Amino acid sequence: MTPTLSASQHVAPVVPSSRAALRRWLAGGIAAGPVFLAAGVAQGVVRDGFDFSRNALSQLALGEAGWVQTVNFLLAGTLLVMGAVGLRQVLGGTPRGIWGPALIGVFAASFWAAAVFPADAGAGFPTGAPDATVMSSDGTVHMAAGMIGYLALCAALLVLAGSLAARGHHRWAVASRLVPVAVLAGFAASAASVLAFTAGAGLGLLWLTAVTTRLACDPVNG
């Protein structure tokens, strides 16, 4: 049964000429997480000295082949912006329709900042780097951007949970309120386990993909 939207949740019909463009915007957001993670994992497997249990994916931007991860950051940010534009159209002019995409835009900008300000070497990567990490100004900005970006993502998922609930997707809404807790738990455990950090960050990215897909498939979009 298709849920009925109240006047405050009204979404203007998408005309045929713009429907294909909307699908392209949403496709960017749907692809962002899987593309970024797949590229990161592939690099981690083939790069000498990289250890998933000791090194963060951000460190792949270091060394001779680091340009691949830099491009990966730039591409992910661009795809996230596309998704934000698509969700803005899907959600209409409601407060959630404004704040959700805006927060995703902040998350996207954090990827661009990560590309410009690389992480610091450490934990033996790149090959020959010492185990201890010495924080540089670039590394500090990189960490700050990542923290702000993922806090924005967690806030966006909470906002989008309201949109999901309004459309009758109550289980999705509950999950979208729980995922940020798991993401933040992974970040809190990062000092003890890099894998916890990677898992939390990856979960956030993939759940944003899932939520964008769910909203893109909603019958209200026409």
Side-chain angles (χ1 to χ4, degrees):
M1 180 177 180
T2 302
T4 301
L5 297 180
S6 66
S8 63
Q9 298 165 331
H10 176 69
V11 179
V14 180
V15 298
S17 61
S18 64
R19 192 170 291 131
L22 175 58
R23 285 198 295 266
R24 287 193 291 271
W25 290 120
L26 292 169
I30 291 168
V35 168
F36 179 80
L37 293 173
V41 170
Q43 291 176 79
V45 170
V46 301
R47 293 283 300 274
D48 290 338
F50 189 87
D51 184 343
F52 287 99
S53 67
R54 302 183 65 204
N55 304 116
L57 293 181
S58 292
Q59 290 181 291
L60 289 166
L62 305 172
E64 292 184 2
W67 66 270
V68 178
Q69 182 65 0
T70 298
V71 171
N72 195 25
F73 275 123
L74 294 172
L75 176 60
T78 301
L79 292 173
L80 286 167
V81 167
M82 291 177 65
V85 172
L87 286 175
R88 178 66 178 82
Q89 296 179 51
V90 167
L91 299 176
T94 67
R96 286 190 291 259
I98 295 171
W99 281 104
L103 288 164
I104 294 172
V106 173
F107 184 48
S110 75
F111 279 77
W112 289 336
V116 176
F117 301 97
D120 290 313
F125 189 84
T127 302
D131 285 338
T133 299
V134 178
M135 291 295 295
S136 67
S137 57
D138 281 358
T140 300
V141 174
H142 181 94
M143 289 186 63
M147 181 176 297
I148 293 170
Y150 270 92
L151 287 175
L153 172 63
C154 290
L157 292 176
L158 293 175
V159 171
L160 294 176
S163 296
L164 290 163
R167 286 162 169 74
H169 308 308
H170 298 293
R171 292 182 180 178
W172 283 79
V174 170
S176 286
R177 295 184 178 106
L178 293 177
V179 166
V181 177
V183 171
L184 295 177
F187 277 47
S190 62
S193 171
V194 173
L195 282 175
F197 170 83
T198 302
L203 174 63
L205 276 166
L206 293 178
W207 188 249
L208 179 59
T209 288
V211 168
T212 302
T213 302
R214 174 64 271 181
L215 290 171
C217 294
D218 199 305
V220 76
N221 298 325

